[in-house]
Structures are given as C-alpha cells and as structure tokens.
Amino acid sequence: MSHRTEEIPQYEQESNEQEGKARVAATGKPEGPAASSSERPGPARSWGELRHLLLRLHFYAGVLVAPFLLVAALTGLAYTLTPQLDRLVYGDQLRVDRVGDQARPLAEQIAAARSAYPEGTLASVITPPGPQDTTRVVLTVPELGENQRTVFVDPYTAEVRGELTTWFGSTPLTTWLDDLHRNLHLGETGRLYSEVAASWLWVAVAGGLVLWLGRARGRRATSARGVLLPDRKAKGVRRTRGLHAATGVWLALGLLFLSATGLTWSQYGGERFGRLLDAANGSAPALDTALPGAGAPAGGHAEHAGHGGSGPATADADPAEFDAALAAARGAGLGGIVEVTPPADAASAWVVAQTDNTWPVHYDRVAVDTTSGEITSRTRWADHPVLNKLSKLGVQGHMGVLFGVANQIVLALMALGLTAVIVWGYRMWWQRRPTRGDRPAPVGKAPERGAWRRIPLPALVLGVPAVVALGWALPVLGVTLAGFLVVDAVVGAVRRRRTA
C-alpha cells in the first residue's frame, strides 16, 4: 500500500473529529454502528460547520470554475505584453526614424494623411505620446463599422508612416488579444466566460484565505512564516496544499483587485455597477459642448468624443482649426497627450481631452470656440467623484497601463501564480484519490455535503438574504451558484436512492 492511502486529507480528518465531538456533546452518548435509527440524534448545530460549508464551496469553485480562471489567466498574461508586441510588430507606424527639432503644424500633418487616405471623414487627431512617436490622424470609415482607420504621420516631416484599422485607439494585435481575453472571440456570448471568472475569483480567494488562516491545525498559523510559506517538510498532498495556499496568500490582494475591476466593465455585473455610480452621483462630470448663444448641439455632451464617436458626418473640419483648438488647450494648461476632436455641428465646440493613462494620470478636458480662441467649458480630473476615479484607475491598472512596465510585470507574475495555484489545486484533487484495490477512483471525494443543515440558525437568517442580495448585484455569480446547488441536490438525491 502506498503512503497516499495511509494519508487522510486534513480537512476530512478535521471534519470527522469535529462532527463526532459535536454529536457526543449534543447527546451525551458516543455514536456507534449499532445505534438504531430511532436513537440516532439529529444534526448538532455548530459554528464550526461554517468552515465545512465554505470548504465545499471552495472545492466546487475550484473544480468547476478553475478552467475559466485558467483561460483568463493565460489570455491576460498574453495581453500584458501588448505594448512591447505593438512596438515590435507596428514599429514602422508607431515610431519616427529621427527626432526633429520642431513639429510641423497639425494642419500639414492632416493634409498629408488625407492626401494618402481620402476616404471617410476626419474624426480626431491624437498628439504623439513622446518625441519618438507619431501623430495619429483618426478617420471614420463607414465600411469599418465601430473600427476606425488611423493614419500615422511623422510630426517632424509630415511624412505618412502607414495606417492601421484600430478599435478605440488599439492596434489590430492589441484588439485581437483584448477580444481573446474578454470573450474568446465569441462575441457577447463569450463575455459570459470572463464574467464567470471575475465573479467567482474573489469567492475562491476569500474562501481559501479563511480556510488557510482558520484551519484547526492552527499551530503553523501562529507565525507569519506558517501562513506565507509552505511547510518544506511536508510530503504528498500536504506539500501540494501548502504550495497552493501559501501562493494564494501572496496573490490574494492582487487577485481581489483583478476580480473587482474586471466586474466593473462586465456585461451584467458592470450594468449593476453603472447603476450604483448613477445612484451615488459617481459618474464623470459632463463637458458642455454648446457654444454660447447657439442652440442645443446635435450631439449633446462630448462624453465619447474622438475615435470616430463624433465629428462631422459628411465633411472634414478645417485642418487649421485643429491647431487653433490645440493652442487654446495648451494655453489652458492641458499638457501631454491630447486628442483634438472637431464639433459635430455649427452649434458645438471643439473638444480637447487629455488621454495620459500612466500615473500620474491626466484626464482634463476643455471645450474650445476656435473662432474666438476661448475655453467655453472645462472638466478637471480633480473634480471627478471618488468612485469614478477608483473605477477609471482600476481599469487602467487591470490593463497594465497605469504604472507602465512595473504594472505589466506585476500582472504577469499574478497570471503565472494563479496558473500555478490552479494546477496545484487539481493535483491535490488527484492526490487525494483512493488507491486501494477495492475502491480505486481517478480523483478524491468531494467534501461532505449537508453542512448547511448544521449551521446555527442566526447564520442562516443573516446569510441567506446576504447571498440573495449578492446574487442580484452579481447576476452571473447568482445564476451559477444556483445551478451548482441544483446539480448538487440532484446528485445527492440520486446517490441516496442508490444506497437506500
């Protein structure tokens, strides 16, 4: 007999011992095989059963949801490399050959871009992020749908470096990897995979932390070393569990962050989050683009200015006015990368918006009357509500943009760490399999069901409404949890009938 068959999994051992003690305390009699059904006591309620319930939830979250998390981790790992991949693949378009002394006016750069690519209409112009970068002239082309044609121009020579079909500023490669991470290129249906992963990630992490920190064999938990590092003397499943849990502790904060930020722009949970922002007045302040004395602008506010989201529908704006709008915005203090967007109609102002997503971020916006050179309206990043700031910064951090290369490295390490935690979790399941000849199995048994029946009533009274509320706030979590419970109940009923 191998030593695996001798080793009883820790949580099963704890469960059996605690359950036996609880029943002896409740009845005053030791439980034995000869006890009749009339003498068998009902389940004793204990707060310790919460741990058993959490253990079963963590087990099923790991077994059933871990494949989604693994795909999200691997596709996210690929996405973290997009800045470097873009420079490698699209270096000719993104970079200039030689840094000059003085940039040409935007009007000259736009004229060069439109001469080379006359189709569509001029949507916006994005200034170079750095001295070695090109200017981006964004065109709305009806045949491209929600995508745009971006023409890259050398700001020092007005030479056209090439063009790419972009999606809200992202290159084709970045767009492809982004779609892979968000929806596996399956459209709206595929977005469910990433929302399942984001919805359950925090549940698995929080449950794992509670189980690891509150385990009955708490001697190792009395020191930081016992929590943060695996037991090097352990073997078999205990060694794997130590690696799984200790790595999870190191990753916990980062994974909780990724779960929360991923949910903010998910399909269903994101819609609930949007309602919360509206109810708490947490949305970004709107920029008033109406020119003084003019009627209401056709496009209303300029919340989605640029990238083809607004701008003249039939004819290009005067290229010289791009320079006028940019000069007015620079004079108002808008430095760094800015996007200049022409008005949708004669009653609207030009919009110049900072788009610097790297810390310290800059997101000020101004509306400009190019006729007079006056700033007619302004929104400042400092005036954004706290919830809006946290949401926007969280998204940039999730995408690996906020802190540059350091952000990318941290995300890559978390993706690799999460992959390792998932692999160790499945390995534990395999290591716990029975290997004796009379009851072999490919994997170990699930933790004992029925723990909820032994939970104290106050915990049920408070817990059930909390779970229902959580299911409303995170619909995908609620639906999948209900599905797990139904399947678990059906499987339990079938097994009881077989053993009856």
Side-chain angles (χ1 to χ4, degrees):
M1 183 183 297
S2 68
H3 81 268
R4 277 197 303 261
T5 60
E6 300 291 340
E7 182 178 28
I8 301 174
Q10 178 186 355
Y11 75 81
E12 289 183 0
Q13 191 175 30
E14 294 168 355
S15 176
N16 294 338
E17 292 175 356
Q18 291 181 4
E19 186 177 346
K21 292 177 181 178
R23 290 180 178 174
V24 169
T27 62
K29 299 178 181 179
E31 193 173 24
S36 68
S37 59
S38 59
E39 296 175 346
R40 194 171 299 148
R45 297 188 180 275
S46 167
W47 290 100
E49 295 299 331
L50 283 172
R51 183 177 182 278
H52 296 155
L53 180 64
L54 184 61
L55 183 63
R56 188 169 177 84
L57 178 65
H58 185 73
F59 172 82
Y60 277 114
V63 170
L64 301 177
V65 183
F68 296 92
L69 294 174
L70 183 60
V71 172
L74 295 177
T75 57
L77 176 62
Y79 186 83
T80 62
L81 303 175
T82 52
Q84 289 74 26
L85 291 175
D86 276 348
R87 285 196 289 271
L88 179 65
V89 177
Y90 307 114
D92 290 342
Q93 291 92 339
L94 300 177
R95 295 298 186 100
V96 301
D97 289 333
R98 185 179 66 85
V99 177
D101 298 326
Q102 185 69 34
R104 297 287 184 89
L106 291 182
E108 289 187 30
Q109 300 180 54
I110 293 169
R114 296 302 279 149
S115 176
Y117 299 95
E119 68 278 2
T121 55
L122 182 56
S124 66
V125 174
I126 304 173
T127 61
Q132 294 182 332
D133 298 311
T134 53
T135 300
R136 302 186 182 197
V137 179
V138 184
L139 307 177
T140 298
V141 180
E143 292 79 12
L144 297 180
E146 65 176 3
N147 295 326
Q148 303 85 39
R149 173 159 293 140
T150 298
V151 184
F152 299 85
V153 182
D154 186 328
Y156 307 107
T157 64
E159 174 193 359
V160 174
R161 304 280 298 173
E163 63 83 30
L164 294 172
T165 298
T166 56
W167 182 74
F168 293 96
S170 297
T171 67
L173 177 58
T174 294
T175 302
W176 191 89
L177 289 173
D178 178 62
D179 281 344
L180 179 67
H181 181 60
R182 288 190 306 127
N183 57 40
L184 301 179
H185 295 284
L186 298 175
E188 292 301 312
T189 302
R191 290 184 66 184
L192 288 173
Y193 117 81
S194 58
E195 188 160 358
V196 168
S199 298
W200 279 94
L201 178 57
W202 70 271
V203 176
V205 171
L209 282 175
V210 172
L211 290 171
W212 183 241
L213 296 175
R215 61 200 186 283
R217 193 191 62 170
R219 292 188 297 273
R220 281 180 51 80
T222 58
S223 67
R225 181 181 179 84
V227 172
L228 299 176
L229 298 175
D231 186 356
R232 290 180 295 179
K233 298 179 181 179
K235 297 181 180 179
V237 67
R238 286 191 173 90
R239 177 179 176 81
T240 306
R241 181 168 54 240
L243 292 169
H244 173 87
T247 305
V249 171
W250 282 98
L251 297 175
L253 278 180
L255 295 180
L256 291 174
F257 166 80
L258 291 178
S259 177
T261 52
L263 286 169
T264 59
W265 80 84
S266 62
Q267 188 171 7
Y268 298 103
E271 188 268 337
R272 296 285 200 270
F273 182 73
R275 287 193 204 177
L276 172 64
L277 286 181
D278 292 339
N281 294 321
S283 299
L287 180 69
D288 186 1
T289 60
L291 288 173
H301 296 294
E303 292 304 300
H304 302 285
H307 305 305
S310 64
T314 57
D316 285 355
D318 182 358
E321 292 195 70
F322 279 86
D323 289 296
L326 178 61
R330 295 300 194 203
L334 270 69
I337 314 169
V338 296
E339 182 170 15
V340 184
T341 305
D345 52 46
S348 302
W350 287 67
V351 174
V352 183
Q354 291 178 310
T355 58
D356 187 357
N357 295 317
T358 304
W359 186 264
V361 298
H362 299 94
Y363 295 125
D364 286 10
R365 297 181 301 159
V366 294
V368 181
D369 182 352
T370 55
T371 303
S372 63
E374 294 181 356
I375 303 297
T376 62
S377 180
R378 179 168 189 159
T379 62
R380 292 176 172 82
W381 171 244
D383 298 331
H384 283 227
V386 173
L387 276 177
N388 179 264
K389 286 184 177 180
L390 291 176
S391 174
K392 194 169 185 68
L393 293 176
V395 168
Q396 298 306 322
H398 188 115
M399 296 174 67
V401 175
L402 188 58
F403 298 108
V405 175
N407 201 156
Q408 292 177 263
I409 293 173
V410 170
L411 287 179
L413 290 175
M414 284 198 292
L416 293 171
L418 178 58
T419 300
V421 167
I422 292 170
V423 171
W424 283 324
Y426 279 115
R427 177 172 172 77
M428 274 194 294
W429 190 25
W430 174 78
Q431 285 178 312
R432 290 181 46 246
R433 73 196 189 283
T435 56
R436 292 190 309 198
D438 59 337
R439 55 181 183 95
V443 292
K445 288 184 178 181
E448 182 188 11
R449 64 165 46 88
W452 68 271
R453 298 189 185 93
R454 300 186 293 274
I455 292 175
L457 289 177
L460 287 175
V461 171
L462 296 175
V464 171
V467 171
V468 171
L470 192 60
W472 177 88
L474 304 175
V476 172
L477 175 65
V479 171
T480 50
L481 176 59
F484 292 166
L485 294 176
V486 170
V487 171
D488 190 54
V490 170
V491 171
V494 169
R495 288 182 176 176
R496 283 194 297 271
R497 290 189 61 182
R498 287 179 177 177
T499 57

